[in-house]
Structures are given as C-alpha cells and as structure tokens.
Amino acid sequence: MSTTPTHPAQPAPSGGTRLDPWFGAYAERAHGMRASEIRALFAVANRPEVVSLAGGMPYLEGLPLDTIADAMQRLVATRGTTALQYGSGQGAEELRERIIDIVRLEGIDCHPDDVVVTTGSQQALDLVTRIFIDPGDVVVAEAPSYVGALGVFRSYQADIVHVPLDEHGLVPEALEETLTRLAAEGRRVKLLYTVPNFHNPAGVTMSLERRPRILEIAQRFGVLVIEDNPYGLLGFDGDPLPALRSLDDDGVLYLGSFSKTFAPGYRVGWVVAPHAVREKLVLASESAILCPSNASQLAIATYLETCDWQGQIKQFRELYRERRDAMIGALSEHLPSASWTVPDGGFYTWVKLPDGLDARSMLPRAVTARVAYVPGTAFYADGSGADHVRLSYCFPTPERIREGVRRFAGVVSAERDLVEIFGTSGAPDSDLTDVENPGPNLA
Ligand code: PMP
C-alpha cells in the first residue's frame, strides 16, 4: 500500500521524502525534534553486561512492594469507580492536601488551591514553557542544565542562554551580568530555569547565602524563576534547605515530583504557582491531557496515608549515600587524572575529563568496554560540555558502580594514550548534541 497521500482535496505537501511523505508539513517547532543517536547506543547500554552509569532511574527494589500492592488492591476494590474515572484538571484535592505537607518540609507555606498536579514534573516544564514562551523569547538556564528541560525549551523555540554554576550553584554575578547584557540587547527574558538542589547533572546545591541574591536579581529584571526540585528531599546530611519558593511567593514556580522519592511509573508531579499563573496552567493542562491520572494520584495519596513515606525517603537517602560513597571512592582510586563534584544528595556526579578528551567520541568505545555514561554535551544548548560526563549512582549496586568506574577509568586511560600519540582521540562518531527527547536513559 502506498504511503503517499492521494486525497484530491489534500495534495501531498511539498518537501516530503520517501521515508516521510509529510516531512514538508511539520510545524517549524517539530523540525528541531530529533532523537539523538545516543539513543541507539543506550539500547546497547541496557544489556545486562553493560554497567550503566547513564540513567537517572531510582532504585525501586528499595520500595515495600507488597504493602503498595495491598494498598492499590484496596483502592480499586473500595474506590475503583473514582480512581478509574476522569478527575479534576487541577488534580485530586486529597493529593494536593498531602502535597502541601511535603513542600512544608522545605519551608513552603501554601494552600492546596496553589497546587496543580501534573503528569510528572516533565509535563510541568512543558506547561510552564507553553504558557510563557513565544518563539525567540529567552530562557536563562544554568550551564549545565537538565537535558529534558532543554528539550522542552527548544521545542517551543525558546532561545536558551546559559549562565554558569559552580560548586555553590548558579553564580549570582554571572546571572546579573547576563541579564544586564540581554536587557541592553533588547531581548525578552521570560524565565530563569534552575535545579537548586543536588543538581542534574552537576550534583551541586545552591548555597543558602546565594538563594535570596538570585531571587533579588530575578525580581529586579522581571524574570520568573522555575525552581525544578525533584531531588530536594534526597539530601544525605542535615535538613533540606529552604526552597526558593519559600522566600518568594510571587516570583517562583516550584516544580515537585514523586518520581525520585517514590516511583516514576505513576508519573505524578506538581507545580506550586501564584494564583493567576495557576489558572493558566490548569487550562493548558486540560487542553493537553484533560486531567492527570486519577488512578495514579489516588494510589499516591493512599501510599502517603498508609505507609511511612518519610521513613522510606530516609531509607532511600541512606541507600543513595552508600552508592555515592562507592562512586566517589572508586573515582579516587581509579581516575586520579580527572576531577568531579561530590554531591550531598541526589543521583549524579559531574566528572571533568582529563584535557583533550571528548566525551562524545569516547562513548561508543566506553559501551564496547561495557560501561555507559551521558556525555556532557547533552546538558548544554550550545554544543559545549564535551569535556564532562555525567555519572549516576542511583541504580547499580555499589559493587557494580565500582566495576563500572573501573571500566570507565580504563577507557579514559586508553583515550589519553590516543591523545598523546595523535594529538586527538578522534572526531566524534556522530553529532550527539541534539538530545531533544531524553528518554528514560538520560532522565
Ligand atoms: N527535572 C529534573 C531535574 C529531573 O532530573 C527529572 C527527571 N530526571 C525531571 C525534571 C522529570 O521528572 P518526572 O517527569 O519523572 O517528574
């Protein structure tokens, strides 16, 4: 059967190709959407013989699966017709009531009405971008930034301008300088995107001292802050730092998620937003999905009500701390030629490769050596970052982490030999910078 459209009232659009007759018909914003060739490599990376230090998948075997199964069984048996029905566009009230208890742990004092439930915080990023960004508007984002956020900003044709972070998070002086320059150029800066706690991919946390300074600068330039905080409760030491939203009710959109502290499979996240923004978010969400999954929301509300969720988070923190220690210990042992961040929480460390190495061109060789990572280029909108890799320690056991780092160090060492002999480790095998859609391996 031919795939070429033949309906006389609808001639085939020009610019079609044999593989995709509709190629010429896509909206401009769809043209930037390409799966990275990294994805092909990650299909291999999922094989059991490969140690994947690439993915951001939480370790779900730590969950009390039997208890959760009982709670879900009870939910469907007793409230099945509600759980399986359409729900409210803003999200189930009983879950929103619980969410305000969770965000209170980070100093946020809000009302269930201030909360919009979303399909993961990924959808929250999409909705916020959809309601604020016209093509060409500027989003200021940390360098590096979460790959999935960059993909959303690109898909709405935002112009992404990076501002560096260091071991204390986003650098206020650099933010001020960038916003001053952009204002002088007459650019419309709409959003500042930050992951203040246990950053993905950099592993760093914005210091207490910097938080009000960043907010003051954003306020002065009239820029709305997106505080993306899926890891905030996964700190290894001490209490969580106050959320940016706890310091500024009107200038911050706070994004939370159950993906890392409970389970990503439910796909439930949320936004805490000022009143007027919240209304727009609900309208945008209704047009996208009508309502978030009632079954997922009520399952999570039941979990929060019937299980010791705070005790569970404590267990996760201990588990991830042990894995962080395994990774940092193995890096110190096997890779003295590199440097890395030492995260106080979350899932990731950000490794600076020895001079002259290119994380993209090295990746196929690493996968051949049965270890996978994410090249730093995935986390920049401008193609930089080839001198870094993100290593995640959330999923493999400590033993596998040590073995993965040992293999990784072997690849780095072979690569350094190549650089020494040839002056380069070779051209990138392919353009791996266009990570439009991260997929679970990169998340
Ligand atoms: N933001 C950040 C910083 C993340 O790391 C992730 C997932 N890796 C997300 C948002 C999306 O998470 P989810 O949609 O599962 O809530």
Side-chain angles (χ1 to χ4, degrees):
M1 198 179 78
S2 163
T3 52
T4 312
T6 52
H7 195 289
Q10 178 140 3
S14 62
T17 66
R18 206 164 59 80
L19 283 178
D20 184 353
W22 296 103
F23 186 81
Y26 291 122
E28 212 179 294
R29 64 182 165 277
H31 284 292
M33 297 179 183
R34 282 187 299 269
S36 165
E37 288 155 66
I38 285 181
R39 283 188 150 206
L41 276 173
F42 281 135
V44 183
N46 276 342
R47 291 194 189 151
E49 67 272 22
V50 176
V51 179
S52 180
L53 305 175
M57 291 185 299
Y59 185 70
L60 298 188
E61 278 165 52
L63 285 174
L65 294 178
D66 289 347
T67 317
I68 295 168
D70 287 347
M72 290 194 67
Q73 199 273 339
R74 242 189 352 269
L75 171 68
V76 175
T78 58
R79 301 175 61 202
T81 54
T82 307
L84 302 179
Q85 190 53 277
Y86 288 115
S88 133
Q90 187 171 351
E93 186 160 359
E94 66 182 86
L95 180 62
R96 287 186 282 117
E97 277 167 3
R98 300 226 153 247
I99 286 172
I100 62 168
D101 294 337
I102 297 173
V103 296
R104 197 172 297 121
L105 298 174
E106 297 180 309
I108 297 176
D109 186 15
C110 68
H111 190 269
D113 270 1
D114 300 328
V115 177
V116 179
V117 179
T118 56
T119 301
S121 50
Q122 192 67 30
Q123 195 213 359
L125 286 166
D126 185 87
L127 296 177
V128 171
T129 313
R130 182 189 304 207
I131 66 172
F132 281 104
I133 295 298
D134 288 316
D137 285 346
V138 175
V139 176
V140 170
E142 290 158 329
S145 267
Y146 166 52
V147 56
L150 296 180
V152 172
F153 301 147
R154 273 198 213 105
S155 71
Y156 286 96
Q157 298 166 282
D159 201 352
I160 300 164
V161 175
H162 281 302
V163 173
L165 45 69
D166 63 18
E167 69 271 30
H168 305 295
L170 183 61
V171 179
E173 293 76 14
L175 176 65
E176 180 154 22
E177 210 177 286
T178 302
L179 291 178
T180 305
R181 174 173 60 76
L182 291 167
E185 289 169 6
R187 309 295 306 278
R188 270 157 66 102
V189 183
K190 294 275 187 72
L191 300 170
L192 166 62
Y193 174 70
T194 175
V195 178
N197 298 312
F198 321 126
H199 191 272
N200 179 2
V204 299
T205 291
M206 189 188 287
S207 68
L208 190 58
E209 180 266 329
R210 280 192 185 173
R211 293 181 182 226
R213 288 173 64 200
I214 297 287
L215 289 172
E216 186 278 318
I217 296 166
Q219 272 165 17
R220 190 151 31 92
F221 285 87
V223 177
L224 184 59
V225 178
I226 308 179
E227 174 177 31
D228 186 9
N229 190 33
Y231 305 99
L233 297 183
L234 293 175
F236 303 144
D237 314 291
D239 292 331
L241 290 179
L244 297 172
R245 172 58 167 71
S246 74
L247 308 173
D248 180 356
D249 289 357
D250 292 327
V252 179
L253 297 181
Y254 174 98
L255 275 48
S257 174
F258 289 105
S259 288
K260 315 293 179 177
T261 52
F262 181 32
Y266 286 114
R267 308 304 303 126
V268 176
W270 69 89
V271 188
V272 179
H275 178 81
V277 176
R278 191 187 74 220
E279 298 283 298
K280 290 272 189 230
L281 286 172
V282 173
L283 291 173
S285 184
E286 284 172 349
S287 87
I289 58 165
L290 294 182
C291 64
S293 157
N294 239 359
S296 286
Q297 292 179 83
L298 297 191
I300 289 185
T302 307
Y303 168 74
L304 295 171
E305 199 178 333
T306 56
C307 296
D308 176 14
W309 60 272
Q310 301 222 44
Q312 181 61 49
I313 289 178
K314 192 161 171 274
Q315 267 184 39
F316 274 137
R317 290 202 306 245
E318 277 154 22
L319 182 115
Y320 294 132
R321 184 217 304 264
E322 191 193 350
R323 290 171 185 210
R324 186 266 326 250
D325 290 346
M327 176 159 281
I328 299 300
L331 285 168
S332 309
E333 184 180 343
H334 298 297
L335 206 61
S337 58
S339 57
W340 49 85
T341 57
V342 180
D344 294 329
F347 288 4
Y348 313 103
T349 180
W350 185 233
V351 178
K352 163 90 173 60
L353 296 172
D355 287 347
L357 267 58
D358 183 309
R360 288 177 304 167
S361 60
M362 195 170 77
L363 183 59
R365 293 186 272 282
V367 173
T368 307
R370 295 170 298 133
V371 60
Y373 60 81
V374 184
T377 40
F379 306 99
Y380 289 82
D382 57 9
S384 53
D387 55 348
H388 276 82
V389 303
R390 186 191 78 178
L391 298 184
S392 60
Y393 49 80
C394 43
F395 195 75
T397 60
E399 200 186 7
R400 294 274 288 170
I401 290 170
R402 282 188 279 271
E403 175 57 19
V405 171
R406 200 186 59 74
R407 292 178 193 174
F408 178 69
V411 175
V412 168
S413 161
E415 208 74 0
R416 287 183 78 199
D417 291 346
L418 282 180
V419 171
E420 212 153 279
I421 299 166
F422 299 111
T424 167
S425 63
D429 291 356
S430 53
D431 177 14
L432 300 175
T433 57
D434 58 329
V435 189
E436 175 67 27
N437 184 344
N441 269 310
L442 288 164

